[in-house]
Amino acid sequence: MLRRLAHRIFSGLLILPLALLPGLSVGPGLDLTEVTNRQYQAFVLATRNPPPDTWPKGRLLSEMLDDPVVDVTWYDARTYCRWAGGKRLPTQPEWEQACRSPGFKKLGDVWEWTLTEAGPESPPNWKVLCGPAGTCNCSHRYDPIWKNEAKGFRCSGGLPVAMILPKFLTLAH
């Protein structure tokens, strides 16, 4: 009886891995790329959060729109992720797992803030940063108020790893 019930429930559904859908998330819910200046600009305009110092006179240049936003503190990154749909920064293990997946992309050569505390070998409250382009390195530890042109971020906690769609909403039957 349980088998028939399960067949009834799932026979009209299609389970679709989100990794197959462009522009969504990779790994354990991480955004496909770092947050771009274009995305961060929407946040700055909506919240009046200060723009990064890399924007000349606080204005975003058109040639920088699709570059990763940099020169943001860990606190700025955390606030952006919350604003962007209740997301959060990824943990170091989540970032490392996603980094090793085929859909993981790096738009620039920046280290990315994580939610992970640096641990007892570092001063209190320091955070782990992960990977410049071409690596899955998570060896950097910094004070969360530090910012420079090498520190950016991506968010986590978006859509789940798979999405269940009713078959009548898809082309496959």
Side-chain angles (χ1 to χ4, degrees):
M1 180 162 136
L2 187 57
R3 186 176 293 167
R4 273 188 254 140
L5 179 60
H7 177 72
R8 256 196 230 164
I9 292 171
F10 291 106
S11 66
L13 299 174
L14 173 69
I15 299 175
L16 180 64
L18 289 182
L20 300 177
L21 299 175
L24 294 175
S25 61
V26 67
L30 270 68
D31 291 350
L32 285 176
T33 65
E34 304 96 314
V35 172
T36 65
N37 284 305
R38 180 189 312 266
Q39 293 167 314
Y40 201 78
Q41 181 183 39
F43 164 70
V44 167
L45 294 172
T47 64
R48 298 202 173 146
N49 201 64
D53 293 338
T54 51
W55 296 4
K57 297 182 182 175
R59 297 188 183 268
L60 179 58
L61 302 176
S62 60
E63 60 266 18
M64 298 168 59
L65 284 170
D66 296 318
D67 293 339
V69 67
V70 293
D71 207 15
V72 293
T73 69
W74 179 88
Y75 298 104
D76 295 332
R78 181 185 65 177
T79 302
Y80 171 89
C81 290
R82 286 178 178 168
W83 173 83
K87 296 182 181 185
R88 60 175 172 78
L89 291 169
T91 64
Q92 177 183 344
E94 288 171 336
W95 194 96
E96 289 174 318
Q97 179 186 349
C99 182
R100 289 175 178 81
S101 74
F104 191 80
K105 295 182 176 117
K106 292 284 286 176
L107 297 175
D109 194 17
V110 300
W111 289 87
E112 298 179 34
W113 287 111
T114 71
L115 195 58
T116 303
E117 297 283 331
E121 71 282 353
S122 299
N125 300 320
W126 280 34
K127 305 297 181 187
V128 172
L129 286 105
C130 293
T135 76
C136 293
N137 182 346
C138 290
S139 63
H140 280 209
R141 276 95 173 105
Y142 281 97
D143 186 322
I145 63 169
W146 287 357
K147 58 183 180 175
N148 63 29
E149 293 183 23
K151 291 179 183 67
F153 68 99
R154 74 180 71 213
C155 299
S156 180
L159 295 171
V161 175
M163 176 171 41
I164 300 174
L165 297 173
K167 281 188 179 176
F168 67 86
L169 293 178
T170 67
L171 295 176
H173 282 85

